[in-house]
Amino acid sequence: AGSESRVSVLAKVVINCAGLNGDDVEQFRRLEHKEEDKEFTITPRKGQFVVFKPSQDMAQTKLNYVIEPTPSQFTKGVIVWTTVYGNIIVGPTATNQESKTDRSTDEKTLSQLRSWGERVVPALKAAEVLGSYSGLRPSCEHRDYQIKAFPSQNWITVGAIRSTGLSGKLKCHVDRYVTLIQ
């Protein structure tokens, strides 16, 4: 604490895909190239989930589809789906926070998720809550993902990717940016 150190890294190409720390890594590029304008600031967005074990009655009327509300500008909304193990998950929420490490859950939010789940799938009223969990997604002040190539710097930024897995891949097309650098 109180002392700064500088680390040099040699690479042919740098791809900044640092998630919650993407804005911090982007700072290295900006300082190296004496750029003053900050492109984006990561704001952690917490998503909390509740996991239900269906009752025996509900197990016979299995939920074979995903229930998804109409998305807003900021979130896809709270989704209800069945896992490969037969459990039902309700979530995620989308709450911005300052901490890039706090993945705690809170009773008020979990209660709201349970109520939402019971409203869209009434049979969940008889289901046992197995547990809960949360995760953090990197959001920023811009609506779109921050994907940019800086060919003269051999640098690609892939920042503020809020979606995971295949749903994020469709929008990113990172391979196009790699071609620009080659």
Side-chain angles (χ1 to χ4, degrees), residues 57-115:
D57 294 340
M58 189 176 179
Q60 295 171 1
T61 58
K62 189 176 179 185
L63 181 67
N64 291 319
Y65 46 85
V66 175
I67 299 174
E68 190 169 355
T70 303
S72 73
Q73 176 180 347
F74 303 104
T75 180
K76 290 177 70 175
V78 175
I79 302 167
V80 180
W81 76 96
T82 303
T83 70
V84 295
Y85 303 106
N87 297 320
I88 295 176
I89 298 181
V90 177
T93 56
T95 306
N96 290 345
Q97 64 181 33
E98 287 189 30
S99 172
K100 292 183 178 184
T101 59
D102 176 14
R103 295 180 315 163
S104 63
T105 57
D106 65 87
E107 285 304 316
K108 179 181 177 189
T109 302
L110 298 178
S111 177
Q112 290 170 342
L113 284 170
R114 183 175 180 121
S115 294

Side-chain angles (χ1 to χ4, degrees), residues 139-167:
S139 65
C140 75
E141 65 274 27
H142 307 289
R143 185 168 184 217
D144 290 330
Y145 299 159
Q146 299 302 294
I147 304 173
K148 295 180 183 173
F150 301 90
S152 65
Q153 300 170 19
N154 287 348
W155 185 284
I156 299 171
T157 296
V158 185
I161 309 299
R162 296 173 307 281
S163 299
T164 58
L166 293 175
S167 60

